[in-house]
Amino acid sequence: MSRRQYGFLVGFLIVWLWLSAGFFAAVAAVVAGLIGYGVGCVLEGDVDLRDLIDRFSASRR
């Protein structure tokens, strides 16, 4: 299991156990899982944070 998959699973389970009912719980679990997946991407080095910061910051040139 990769870090991405593990991050998704942990985020999903935390929210599922915390809310444990209804449609919004399922949506929140998926969002938390995607956040965990993103953290896994960053930890594996697949995301260049400097590039993202440059894209979303105002240009000062």
Side-chain angles (χ1 to χ4, degrees):
M1 185 179 242
S2 72
R3 286 185 183 176
R4 294 178 189 183
Q5 293 168 332
Y6 183 70
F8 182 88
L9 180 64
V10 168
F12 185 88
L13 290 176
I14 287 171
V15 173
W16 178 69
L17 290 173
W18 182 47
L19 299 175
S20 71
F23 174 75
F24 293 109
V27 172
V30 170
V31 169
L34 291 173
I35 290 170
Y37 182 83
V39 169
C41 289
V42 170
L43 290 176
E44 289 180 355
D46 289 343
V47 176
D48 185 11
L49 292 178
R50 288 186 185 134
D51 184 40
L52 288 175
I53 291 170
D54 288 342
R55 285 185 188 185
F56 293 111
S57 64
S59 63
R60 299 180 182 220
R61 296 179 190 173

